[in-house]
């Protein structure tokens, strides 16, 4: 049969389409491998490979202790685990020969230990194992992030300690409000960071629980010890319900939320030093190692270290939000597959937060403060007049609202004429008072001067939480205690994980080499 040109083209097109289709008829489909399996494999060989092997070791030790493996099989598997070429696995590429890295590792163990290695998966599933791997990687990144956040905490604390008497004007609604000190402001940022670190601590507590022994979702008929495996891997406890163990995702969401809030809080803070570095504010000078120049403008000292912190913190917020969004789109069931896609965003958000904290800690300790400019602004600002109103209450026995009205009238009169707080005189104050209360004030010129002094303003605000130097020094001592306790917690958790890894290796190394 002869075909017309159009018919021939149609047949050829169909054959080509069938050829394309055949590429997708064998597992793994080419597109699926490209979009899903290869990225997941590349992630797994970098971060989760070591935790996966650690879980193999802990599970093997438990199976032997529970007499669920014969002695020869246990020794063969141990020898195979010791012989695994992890570096070769890390350098490998996804070929599609194995569905994922788990099956490739299992294949390597079968080659090394024979059929005995098949029993290593007794009473276990990729579900409970995958969740445990993910939790181990996240807990390690959490500790790294807390360590760098504590470094920043220490830098902020030290910076505040150097400026307990450095007067500045605090702003509300972006307008001059009241005198305070650099230390008072920075101590507030430090306290906020302490809360962020405690939220990361809480996230660690819910992350550092073992899913192992849940198997697919109903545990197993074999008498395994979930508690023993959890202890061997330095988990603080178990996820009690096996269904929850493989389905719950709130631990990842809690980490994302804690990371996101920390990044938001630090992002709010870095706006301030960026403004203060401008010539118009002229408050801070960033040290030379943390500024960059212009290619055309010789005078430029661009505080790019802080600018990059700002943008990176925004990316951290975005990546954390992606984690939360992906959890929202996941049914309450096995979430291992979703976590493969979610991992990069969770890891990147933690890595970014850790690096920004580390970078900012170096910048903060080198900041130079323009004391004279800050003091001069405070002395010429109307920011002190709250204390003048308070003084009228104490000295004249007026209600605060009446005193506020008198002082407000004075400020309106002086500022309207282009004057500063230094232009407030006793005559102007008395004239304003007579118009409002019908009499002059008993206040002396010296009392007026003191009431408008920013240093006096700060010194009399010695209530807990205030800016008075003595109160700030007390608050800084409390922060030292907080810092010490947080560091002790961090060191304890890190040491426990190191001990667990060492115990696994030493235990398997102590077993006879030949079954």
């Amino acid at each position: 049969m002869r075909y017309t040109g159009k018919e021939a083209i149609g047949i050829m097109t169909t054959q080509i389409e069938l050829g394309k289709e055949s590429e997708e008829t064998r597992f793994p489909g080419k597109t699926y491998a490209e979009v899903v399996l290869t990225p997941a494999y590349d992630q797994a060989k970098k971060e989760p490979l070591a935790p996966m092997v650690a879980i193999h070791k802990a599970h093997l030790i438990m199976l032997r202790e529970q007499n669920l493996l014969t002695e020869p099989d246990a020794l063969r598997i141990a020898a195979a685990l010791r012989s695994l070429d992890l570096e070769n696995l890390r350098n490998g590429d996804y070929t599609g020969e194995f569905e994922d890295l788990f099956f490739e590792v299992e294949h390597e163990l079968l080659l090394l230990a024979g059929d005995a290695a098949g029993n290593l998966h007794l009473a276990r599933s990729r579900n409970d194992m995958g969740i445990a791997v993910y939790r181990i990687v996240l807990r390690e990144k959490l500790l790294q992030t807390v360590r760098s956040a504590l470094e920043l905490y220490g830098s902020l604390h030290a910076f505040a300690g150097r400026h307990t008497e450095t007067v500045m004007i605090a702003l509300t609604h972006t307008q001059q409000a009241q005198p305070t000190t650099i230390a008072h402001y920075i101590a507030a940022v430090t306290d906020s960071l302490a809360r962020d670190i405690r939220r990361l601590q809480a996230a660690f507590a819910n992350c550092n629980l073992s899913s192992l022994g849940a198997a697919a979702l109903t545990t197993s008929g074999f008498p395994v010890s979930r508690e023993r495996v959890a202890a061997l891997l330095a988990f603080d406890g178990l996820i009690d319900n096996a269904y929850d163990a493989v389905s719950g995702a709130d631990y990842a969401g809690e980490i994302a939320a804690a990371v996101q809030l920390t990044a938001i809080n630090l992002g709010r803070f870095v706006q301030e030093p960026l403004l203060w570095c401008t010539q118009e504010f002229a408050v801070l000078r960033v040290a030379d190692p943390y500024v960059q120049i212009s290619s055309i403008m010789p005078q430029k000292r661009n505080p790019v270290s802080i600018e990059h912190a700002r943008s990176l913190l925004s990316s951290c917020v975005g990546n954390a939000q992606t984690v939360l969004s992906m959890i929202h789109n996941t049914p309450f069931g096995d979430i291992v597959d979703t976590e493969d896609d979610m991992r990069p965003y969770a890891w990147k958000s933690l890595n970014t937060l850790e690096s920004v904290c580390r970078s900012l800690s170096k910048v903060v300790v080198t900041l130079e403060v323009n004391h004279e400019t800050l003091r001069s602004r405070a002395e010429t600002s109307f920011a002190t007049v709250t204390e003048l109103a308070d003084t009228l209450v104490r000295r004249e026995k007026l209600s605060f609202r009446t005193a506020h009205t008198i002082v407000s009238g004075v400020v309106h009169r002086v500022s309207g004429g282009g004057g500063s707080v230094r232009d407030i005189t006793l005559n102007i104050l008395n004239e304003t008072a007579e118009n409002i209360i019908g009499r002059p004030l008993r206040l002396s010129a010296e009392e007026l001067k003191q009431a408008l002094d920013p240093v006096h303003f700060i010194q009399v605000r010695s209530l807990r939480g205030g800016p008075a130097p003595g109160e700030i020094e007390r608050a800084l001592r409390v922060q030292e205690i907080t810092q010490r306790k947080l560091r002790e917690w961090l060191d304890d958790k890190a040491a426990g994980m190191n001990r667990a890894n060492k115990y696994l290796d030493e235990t398997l190394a102590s077993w006879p080499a030949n079954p």
Side-chain angles (χ1 to χ4, degrees):
M1 182 179 294
R2 297 177 65 86
Y3 298 100
T4 65
K6 288 185 178 180
E7 290 171 333
I9 291 172
I11 291 170
M12 289 173 63
T13 302
T14 302
Q15 290 172 339
I16 291 170
E17 293 301 322
L18 286 172
K20 286 182 179 178
E21 185 180 348
S22 67
E23 292 178 1
E24 304 289 351
T25 56
R26 297 186 306 274
F27 185 88
K30 182 179 179 182
T31 305
Y32 181 59
E34 176 188 335
V35 173
V36 176
L37 298 177
T38 299
Y41 181 88
D42 289 340
Q43 294 163 27
K45 69 184 184 181
K46 292 175 183 176
E47 305 262 14
L49 178 58
M52 182 193 302
V53 174
I55 289 170
H56 283 323
K57 293 174 180 177
H59 193 66
L60 173 61
I61 291 170
M62 181 275 296
L63 290 176
R64 187 189 186 197
E65 292 174 349
Q66 295 294 109
N67 296 313
L68 292 172
L69 289 178
T70 66
E71 190 71 5
D73 281 358
L75 298 181
R76 286 190 187 95
I77 297 170
L81 285 170
R82 290 195 297 267
S83 300
L84 268 180
D85 189 344
L86 298 185
E87 198 58 35
N88 184 59
L89 288 167
R90 289 191 183 97
N91 293 327
D93 294 320
Y94 186 73
T95 64
E97 182 181 357
F98 307 102
E99 180 177 318
D100 57 18
L101 188 62
F102 168 82
F103 281 118
E104 184 173 357
V105 171
E106 184 175 75
H107 173 75
E108 292 297 317
L109 292 174
L110 286 166
L111 291 178
L112 292 166
D115 190 54
N119 282 326
L120 184 59
H121 205 54
L122 194 69
R124 194 175 64 177
S125 165
R126 274 193 302 171
N127 292 3
D128 63 337
M129 188 175 174
I131 297 294
V133 166
Y134 194 41
R135 286 172 178 265
I136 290 173
V137 174
L138 281 174
R139 76 182 183 184
E140 291 173 351
K141 290 188 178 295
L142 269 171
L143 291 187
Q144 291 168 0
T145 302
V146 169
R147 190 175 300 281
S148 291
L150 274 173
E151 183 181 345
L152 175 57
Y153 184 99
S155 295
L156 289 167
H157 179 268
F159 185 69
R162 295 193 296 272
H163 295 284
T164 56
E165 299 189 23
T166 303
V167 177
M168 64 172 278
I169 301 173
L171 307 180
T172 60
H173 303 278
T174 72
Q175 304 298 303
Q176 293 183 356
Q178 293 182 332
T180 186
T181 63
I182 290 281
H184 189 227
Y185 170 77
I186 293 296
V189 175
T190 311
D191 280 347
S192 174
L193 181 56
R195 293 192 296 274
D196 288 325
I197 294 172
R198 284 194 285 269
R199 279 185 280 268
L200 292 170
Q201 268 188 308
F204 180 94
N206 281 326
C207 173
N208 198 35
L209 299 173
S210 175
S211 58
L212 293 163
L217 56 84
T218 60
T219 73
S220 170
F222 292 97
V224 296
S225 174
R226 295 189 66 198
E227 293 78 7
R228 177 60 170 156
V229 175
L232 287 169
L233 293 167
F235 284 112
D236 291 327
L238 299 175
I239 306 165
D240 191 61
N241 184 289
Y243 206 122
D244 183 31
V246 300
S247 303
D250 52 297
Y251 74 96
E254 185 177 12
I255 292 170
V259 167
Q260 189 175 60
L261 189 52
T262 304
I264 288 170
N265 287 337
L266 287 177
R268 294 181 65 201
F269 162 61
V270 297
Q271 305 300 323
E272 304 290 337
L274 273 176
L275 281 175
W276 294 353
C277 286
T278 62
Q279 284 87 345
E280 289 75 14
F281 273 80
V283 172
L284 292 180
R285 186 178 190 275
V286 177
D288 289 346
Y290 304 105
V291 298
Q292 289 179 222
I293 62 171
S294 165
S295 65
I296 186 173
M297 295 170 281
Q299 86 281 5
K300 292 299 290 294
R301 295 185 79 259
N302 301 321
V304 292
S305 54
I306 303 176
E307 289 177 318
H308 284 299
R310 178 178 59 180
S311 62
L312 287 170
L313 288 167
S314 294
S315 76
C316 183
V317 170
N319 284 319
Q321 185 58 46
T322 298
V323 172
L324 293 168
S325 298
M326 292 178 78
I327 294 172
H328 173 261
N329 194 37
T330 303
F332 191 77
D334 167 29
I335 63 164
V336 172
D337 292 338
T338 300
E339 286 190 331
D340 281 344
D341 299 324
M342 192 166 61
R343 282 173 180 173
Y345 299 99
W347 294 345
K348 190 170 184 180
S349 66
L350 280 162
N351 290 342
T352 301
L353 181 58
E354 183 276 330
S355 62
V356 170
C357 286
R358 189 157 34 89
S359 175
L360 278 177
S361 71
K362 305 301 183 190
V363 175
V364 166
V365 295
T366 65
L367 290 175
E368 298 176 16
V369 177
N370 190 334
H371 297 253
E372 293 75 18
T373 295
L374 285 172
R375 181 67 171 264
S376 174
R377 284 178 182 159
E379 289 174 345
T380 57
S381 168
F382 290 104
T384 56
V385 298
T386 301
E387 181 55 28
L388 176 56
D390 289 349
T391 299
L392 295 185
V393 172
R394 288 190 291 265
R395 184 74 174 81
E396 304 291 337
K397 307 304 180 185
L398 301 174
S399 72
F400 179 78
R401 187 51 57 208
T402 298
H404 183 282
T405 302
I406 293 171
V407 174
S408 178
V410 170
V411 171
H412 181 74
R413 176 177 171 181
V414 173
S415 63
S420 75
V421 73
R422 288 174 174 170
D423 297 310
I424 295 178
T425 65
L426 205 54
N427 284 337
I428 294 174
L429 182 61
N430 281 327
E431 288 173 7
T432 306
E434 286 189 42
N435 290 333
I436 295 172
I437 62 174
R439 67 172 177 85
L441 303 172
R442 294 186 296 272
L443 201 69
S444 69
E446 187 59 34
E447 288 172 322
L448 174 61
K449 180 180 178 182
Q450 183 183 60
L452 297 176
D453 179 8
V455 173
H456 174 75
F457 184 104
I458 290 166
Q459 287 175 340
V460 298
R461 278 156 176 78
S462 57
L463 288 175
R464 182 165 177 168
E471 168 54 19
I472 284 294
E473 288 166 3
R474 179 205 64 79
L476 293 179
R477 288 193 296 272
V478 172
Q479 288 185 352
E480 286 178 5
I481 296 171
T482 298
Q483 184 179 15
R484 186 180 69 248
K485 289 180 177 178
L486 289 171
R487 191 165 297 281
E488 287 173 353
W489 173 87
L490 174 66
D491 291 342
D492 176 67
K493 294 302 179 185
M497 288 159 54
N498 289 334
R499 282 194 303 270
N501 287 330
K502 185 177 179 182
Y503 179 84
L504 291 175
D505 291 336
E506 290 179 348
T507 299
L508 293 192
S510 69
W511 292 4
N514 297 313

